[in-house]
Amino acid sequence: MSRIKIFDTTLRDGEQSPGCSMNLAEKLQVASQLERLGVDIIEAGFAISSPGDFESVKSIAELVKNCSVASLSRALEKDIDCAWDAVKHAADPRIHTFIATSPVHMEYKLKMTPEQVIERTSAMVKHAAKYTSNIEFSCEDAMRSDPDFLVRVCDAAIKSGAKVLNIPDTVGYTTPGEMRAMIEYLVRNVPDSDKVEFSVHCHNDLGMAVANALGGVLGGALQVECTVNGLGERAGNTSLEEVVMAMHTRPDLYGELPRIDTKQIYRTSKLVYNIIGQSAPNNKPIVGANAFAHESGIHQHGVLANKSTYEIMTPESVGIQTNQMVLGKHSGKHAFSERLKELGYELTDDQIIDAFGKFKELCDKKKTVTDGDIEALVSNTEVVDGKYKLVSFDVKTMGKVGVCSSICLKQEDEFFEEKSLGDGAIDALYAAIDKIVMPPEHVLDKFNISAVSEGKDTLGEVTLKLNCEGKTYSGRGLSTDIIEAGIMAYLNAINKLMQ
Ligand code: KIV
Ligand code: ZN
């Protein structure tokens, strides 16, 4: 069995789903973390879809050194040219081109005959081959396509220069057994199939994306496409953390392990959730708060006697620290940076100094600082250069009248003060901020408050989403004062909106 390659499409298929959009700085942060995690290929975007997408694919291609960087393109010359333009400076650039192969897509979407699809496949893969030999070709909606037609399409793609053949379950329709059988069939029947890699790309509409991807691996697929936290269109894609940990937990079934550093999984998941302003559902496998919690007496008893009674993998193996070490105001920079290293954070000297400053500020407000607090502090590094920064704020509750707020913001060297009334503190403060910033019309779509660790003095985290003209802007704020966290989250999102 060969090592399975991990193709991450968080920044393409994940990012194109509603509420998951990221700005350039955020995409670069995610790309660097994916590189640290050890994925084999980063699909950085769909270069032709917008000038912003082109810029981000290009910037990621220039930044990333230790894995391949791909751009998606339809099977059209202009798309392929644009994809190449965006990725050509990468250490290992890849063009990923696709065309639909199912009867329903060919007839109603493409309005092309099967023969025309085969011709287009040959012509466009040959066109991509003028630029690079690292070409992936996808048969969109493959799992609702005729297997013998797929054999012909794959044959045409291989003869024209494709090195990876991706078999997507675009609509999340298939089952693990069908996916396995399909890959086995293609491996057996496509001429020269041993010279290429088959790949699987599964959507989660029936909650089976991970199982289907693993079915494909059992059938002989050598590449799995997935996204961090399973983000993606509709119900999402194959979740990277789940599929990787399944392979790690059952090497007897899946063979040689992917080259992922599993200790970076939790941190990667957190980073992506933070950026899109969401958090993991408690019961999310691998990264949810309850993923390693044993509540029932019988389970607790078993785990205390021997962990393997109820634990098939350890929290440490995905980078979750359970031996919570407590730091306090007497802890020095050395102890702090050592703890960061143990938690899997490789920060530059400047980042450590900055994080240590925040840690000290927190120590003045909170007696003990836990790993959870430290992780929240360092993953809260603002990825948007904040145009407006909070200087101070005040709120007064005035009984039935509501709440009166005043706020002072700073933009470069200029200070701005405003007051406003509202139903509650957040409402009044956001209204005061709007008076200063004057953002375009927008709606507050989501607003979540959570505690980062235990205790009444815990850090509170606010994540929110603003919707402006159909685009989503997420924000995150962290403070021992939940109102302050709410202001920071709003400013974070408003700064993105005003960019
Ligand atoms: O789901 C799908 O079919 C895709 C392809 C473009 C690879 O995302
Ligand atoms: Zn997809």
Side-chain angles (χ1 to χ4, degrees), residues 197-217:
E197 287 169 6
F198 279 95
S199 165
V200 280
H201 174 113
C202 302
H203 281 265
N204 204 29
D205 300 65
L206 292 171
M208 293 199 287
V210 172
N212 291 339
L214 291 169
V217 169

Side-chain angles (χ1 to χ4, degrees), residues 7 9 12-13 16 43 46 72-73 96-99 105 136 138-142 166-171 201-203 225 233-234 237:
F7 175 110
T9 183
R12 199 278 297 170
D13 216 334
Q16 82 190 31
E43 184 160 58
F46 191 173
L72 186 67
S73 59
H96 177 194
T97 189
F98 75 98
I99 194 162
H105 275 233
E136 171 169 338
S138 286
C139 309
E140 191 190 11
D141 204 16
N166 185 35
I167 306 301
D169 180 24
T170 305
V171 291
H201 174 113
C202 302
H203 281 265
E225 305 204 351
E233 292 273 20
R234 309 179 307 279
N237 285 57

Side-chain angles (χ1 to χ4, degrees), residues 1 218 244-258:
M1 287 193 215
L218 293 178
V244 166
M245 287 318 288
M247 290 191 240
H248 267 259
T249 309
R250 297 300 307 272
D252 54 322
L253 291 180
Y254 304 111
E256 210 186 313
L257 299 177

Side-chain angles (χ1 to χ4, degrees), residues 7-16 27 42-50 52-58 60-61 69-74 79 82-83 86-87 94-96 98:
F7 175 110
D8 182 275
T9 183
T10 309
L11 295 170
R12 199 278 297 170
D13 216 334
E15 206 257 349
Q16 82 190 31
K27 287 183 185 174
I42 294 176
E43 184 160 58
F46 191 173
I48 203 163
S49 64
S50 71
D53 245 57
F54 179 86
E55 261 330 296
S56 48
V57 176
K58 186 164 177 282
I60 292 168
V69 175
S71 170
L72 186 67
S73 59
R74 287 165 300 182
D79 277 40
C82 181
V87 294
R94 174 179 287 191
I95 295 177
H96 177 194
F98 75 98

Side-chain angles (χ1 to χ4, degrees), residues 455-468:
K456 287 182 190 155
D457 62 352
T458 181
L459 275 174
E461 181 180 62
V462 171
T463 54
L464 55 76
K465 284 187 185 192
L466 303 181
N467 192 309
C468 178

Side-chain angles (χ1 to χ4, degrees), residues 149-191:
F149 181 60
L150 282 185
V151 169
R152 292 182 59 213
V153 177
C154 290
D155 181 33
I158 296 174
K159 288 204 167 79
S160 310
K163 296 290 181 296
V164 180
L165 293 165
N166 185 35
I167 306 301
D169 180 24
T170 305
V171 291
Y173 172 78
T174 203
T175 66
E178 278 177 1
M179 184 54 107
R180 178 180 183 156
M182 178 67 96
I183 301 293
E184 279 171 349
Y185 188 77
L186 295 175
V187 169
R188 259 202 322 273
N189 292 291
V190 173

Side-chain angles (χ1 to χ4, degrees), residues 270 273-274 277-280 282 289 372-373 376 447-464 475-483 485-486 489:
K270 269 236 154 224
Y273 274 132
N274 283 342
Q278 287 179 23
S279 45
N282 285 350
D373 295 324
F447 183 95
N448 287 314
I449 305 178
S450 58
V452 161
S453 52
E454 300 82 36
K456 287 182 190 155
D457 62 352
T458 181
L459 275 174
E461 181 180 62
V462 171
T463 54
L464 55 76
R476 177 173 177 256
L478 192 70
S479 169
T480 45
D481 176 348
I482 203 66
I483 304 287

